[in-house]
Amino acid sequence: MGESAPADATGTPALKRPLGVLDVWALGVGVVVAGAYFGWNLGLKDNGPVAMLVASLLVCLLYLTWVLALAELSVAMPYAGGPLAYGRRAAGPLPGFIMGWSMLLEAQFAAIGCALAVGGYVAFLVNPNEQSQAVEILAELVTLLIFFLLQAWGVKEQSVALVVMTYGALLGLCIFWIAAATNFSAERVWPRENLLAGKGWRAVLDALPYALWWLVMIETVALAAEEMREPQRTLPRGLTLAQLTLAAIVVLTWLFACGAVESQQIAVDSAGQDISYPLAAVLHHLKVGENPILSIGFGVLALFGLIASYHAILYAVSRQGFALGRAGYLPSLFGRLHAGRRTPTVALAASTLLSAAFVVASIWFKDAINVAVLVSTLTALVWYVLAMACLLILRRREPALFAAYQAPASRVLPFVVAILSIFGIVAYARLEYAPAVFALAAAFYAAGIIYFLAFARGRLRSDAPEERGTQMAESVR
Amino acid sequence: MIQGLERLTAAALILVVAVLGWMVLAAFRPEFAQFASEETEILAVLGLLGATLCLVSLLALIHTRRH
């Protein structure tokens, strides 16, 4: 472990810079491709395919505008602790910590949700009729261990692995689209007699929280800005291409899944239970799905999608933990890098151990996966709104900061992102799990803020990149 | 040309925000917000969202190429 970790020109621990446009694209697609494999289908329940389509397009627009606005901040401040740097520079240490903490919670809970989904999917593949909890837990723990080791090994190696897994996940979706097309019916996609399931436009609001599952977490790619060649070109280009790829995936997956079987069959099984494996469930209903090579092959590729997302999310959570530790907002242990590999092994280990604790806890708490994903999404929407406030403040105060890159339609973009995010939070309030999710998120925010005020506030490191940038700007003012 | 595209995209984004407000009103007070048949309303909203997505994507690609 690196007491004398490699450092940048000023002596601060620094990450490598090997990532190009393809790596950013793979990170962007890989981190959210799991959203196509599970989760979104629950929005079909009682709402129907048309409401889900409207909600999905709203989410696509939210994320397209969000990644463009975020690219502006990331290029201006290409640090691993992205939200920490934006909040710190725009409004001071406490807002910076709240934003960094929000993203850490978002990524950590998404990692937990993804790890739990991997276990469930493996158990389904082993025995679709009766899932073994032992297999589930074992698969989850093995996944956590493998990806801890892979990421501790080094950023370039894990980036190559992510590109391979992302291609595998995309191949799985292509196979699904072709197989589902064999039973396509336009009547099922567009049920003219009952377009909004008898609920009117409330169906769109009810479907929206689940539509967010398609794309949430893509913003974590901004954490990689410190590890990119030419971030002013690589980041916006890679994020835009990733977002376009994902918008196509969303529409095609929705179209072929809802066209192949009745939408309620994708959301709930015959016993009325929510379906966690919607694409596998669709194939199960089709004649072509009776082919074991197709069903097992697709299942393996679907697993690629889930672990690709877990892999990319773990990357994000470890970088955010590293940045907060490096700057003194969390214990300095988190800011250490491995002396030889230059990877944040302590932050990786802490995230993996926390995920493992939730995996074990899921034995008793069956709703762990739902709560984990909903807390992740809620904390995400919170920092989207805060980040847009930071962008507006910094544009006014330090216009030169954004000389290298400015987002298109830059005057309206931050307002659109903030309004769409607030709209998403409002829609979340209608969910069955809302009280538990809001309470859990509030408890984590309270714990973080108390730690900051009691321990971290007086120990912030002035040599961290996020602090140095702010100090330079303040000295100029 | 790019400036014109930017203005058009900004107008479309503002229209989307206005539609969100209308959608909330239509969800809870449909009697005040209905302007056409349900199918026509849905097609209009889908058309607006699709067009805005295309405009923002096109503009973003042009921007990243310039950089």
Side-chain angles (χ1 to χ4, degrees):
Chain A
M1 201 61 55
E3 286 297 336
S4 57
D8 66 7
T10 62
T12 308
L15 297 157
K16 292 180 185 177
R17 281 184 175 266
L19 302 179
V21 171
L22 180 65
D23 299 307
V24 175
W25 173 85
L27 272 170
V29 175
V31 77
V32 299
V33 74
Y37 281 98
F38 78 103
W40 67 271
N41 58 307
L42 300 176
L44 294 167
K45 189 164 69 173
D46 301 330
N47 301 314
V50 176
M52 192 65 207
L53 176 63
V54 176
S56 299
L57 288 185
L58 272 172
V59 167
C60 285
L61 189 61
L62 165 64
Y63 278 94
L64 182 59
T65 51
W66 164 235
V67 297
L68 291 173
L70 183 62
E72 203 174 316
L73 283 166
S74 303
V75 170
M77 291 166 276
Y79 310 126
L84 166 65
Y86 319 147
R88 170 71 184 93
R89 189 148 179 168
L94 182 58
F97 173 72
I98 291 172
M99 287 179 63
W101 186 241
S102 294
M103 187 162 182
L104 184 65
L105 292 177
E106 174 200 5
Q108 179 62 56
F109 277 94
I112 291 166
C114 239
L116 292 172
V118 168
Y121 213 94
V122 169
F124 178 81
L125 276 175
V126 171
N127 186 353
N129 299 319
E130 192 179 348
Q131 294 172 47
S132 160
Q133 191 176 54
V135 171
E136 214 170 296
I137 300 293
L138 185 65
E140 287 158 4
L141 293 176
V142 167
T143 302
L144 294 178
L145 181 63
I146 287 172
F147 285 95
F148 166 72
L149 293 174
L150 188 61
Q151 296 213 7
W153 187 251
V155 65
K156 188 58 190 173
E157 290 81 356
Q158 68 87 22
S159 176
V160 170
L162 181 61
V163 171
V164 172
M165 284 191 293
T166 300
Y167 283 137
L170 293 177
L171 177 63
L173 288 174
C174 290
I175 290 170
F176 170 78
W177 298 333
I178 293 167
T182 60
N183 199 43
F184 185 82
S185 161
E187 289 287 311
R188 284 193 279 260
V189 173
W190 194 262
R192 194 175 289 265
E193 299 305 312
N194 196 14
L195 286 170
L196 292 174
K199 294 166 73 176
W201 287 93
R202 264 187 300 169
V204 176
L205 297 183
D206 291 348
L208 193 67
Y210 297 101
L212 282 163
W213 287 28
W214 284 114
L215 299 174
V216 76
M217 290 299 297
I218 190 171
E219 70 276 5
T220 55
V221 180
L223 288 182
E226 197 179 349
E227 298 171 70
M228 285 173 201
R229 292 186 296 267
E230 298 182 90
Q232 73 280 6
R233 180 183 175 277
T234 305
L235 185 62
R237 194 164 187 81
L239 278 174
T240 303
L241 291 172
Q243 190 56 49
L244 288 173
T245 307
L246 290 163
I249 287 172
V250 166
V251 172
L252 289 172
T253 305
W254 166 86
L255 178 70
F256 288 115
C258 295
V261 298
E262 289 299 326
S263 63
Q264 297 311 300
Q265 288 181 293
I266 309 171
V268 290
D269 61 20
S270 54
Q273 298 294 308
D274 293 345
I275 292 177
S276 307
Y277 322 103
L279 306 193
V282 169
L283 286 184
H284 188 68
H285 286 293
L286 305 181
K287 193 162 186 174
V288 292
E290 291 168 10
N291 183 332
I293 295 173
L294 178 69
S295 59
I296 293 172
F298 172 76
V300 170
L301 290 171
L303 210 50
F304 264 57
L306 293 174
I307 59 178
S309 289
Y310 175 75
H311 188 38
I313 292 166
L314 181 61
Y315 177 94
V317 72
S318 66
R319 266 54 184 177
Q320 191 60 24
F322 162 77
L324 287 167
R326 179 174 63 178
Y329 291 82
L330 288 181
S332 59
L333 200 66
F334 286 87
R336 288 187 185 172
L337 295 176
H338 185 279
R341 305 300 307 175
R342 299 179 70 176
T343 50
T345 42
V346 176
L348 275 168
S351 170
T352 303
L353 286 173
L354 189 58
S355 297
F358 264 79
V359 164
V360 174
S362 72
I363 296 171
W364 298 283
F365 302 107
K366 299 298 175 195
D367 294 331
I369 189 166
N370 282 333
V371 172
V373 173
L374 291 173
V375 170
S376 167
T377 316
L378 179 65
T379 51
L381 291 173
V382 167
W383 90 263
Y384 299 171
V385 177
L386 294 176
M388 291 305 97
C390 292
L391 179 58
L392 293 170
I393 290 168
L394 289 171
R395 270 189 192 165
R396 180 179 287 262
R397 202 164 66 196
E398 300 178 49
L401 195 60
F402 303 100
Y405 176 75
Q406 193 157 35
S410 58
R411 281 188 183 177
V412 298
L413 215 61
F415 295 103
V416 172
V417 173
I419 292 168
L420 283 169
S421 301
I422 292 167
F423 188 75
I425 292 171
V426 171
Y428 255 84
R430 292 173 53 85
L431 279 183
E432 179 192 350
Y433 290 105
V437 169
F438 281 120
L440 191 59
F444 271 99
Y445 276 112
I449 290 169
I450 289 168
Y451 176 82
F452 173 81
L453 294 174
F455 302 106
R457 189 170 49 167
R459 296 190 311 203
L460 300 183
R461 288 189 55 178
S462 58
D463 59 343
E466 296 84 2
E467 289 293 319
R468 283 206 313 271
T470 304
Q471 286 163 3
M472 283 169 65
E474 284 172 351
S475 67
V476 170
R477 285 205 301 273
Chain B
M1 183 196 160
I2 292 175
Q3 278 187 341
L5 190 62
E6 251 191 92
R7 284 199 195 106
L8 186 64
T9 306
L13 286 168
I14 291 166
L15 195 55
V16 167
V17 170
V19 164
L20 285 184
W22 168 82
M23 204 182 282
V24 173
L25 187 65
F28 297 102
R29 288 299 186 96
E31 65 274 19
F32 295 126
Q34 192 170 19
F35 69 85
S37 70
E38 192 171 76
E39 186 169 23
T40 308
E41 288 177 352
I42 292 165
L43 287 171
V45 171
L46 287 175
L48 174 66
L49 291 175
T52 310
L53 270 170
C54 291
L55 282 170
V56 176
S57 304
L58 183 64
L59 202 53
L61 285 177
I62 292 170
H63 260 251
T64 50
R65 188 168 287 176
R66 284 198 305 178
H67 286 272

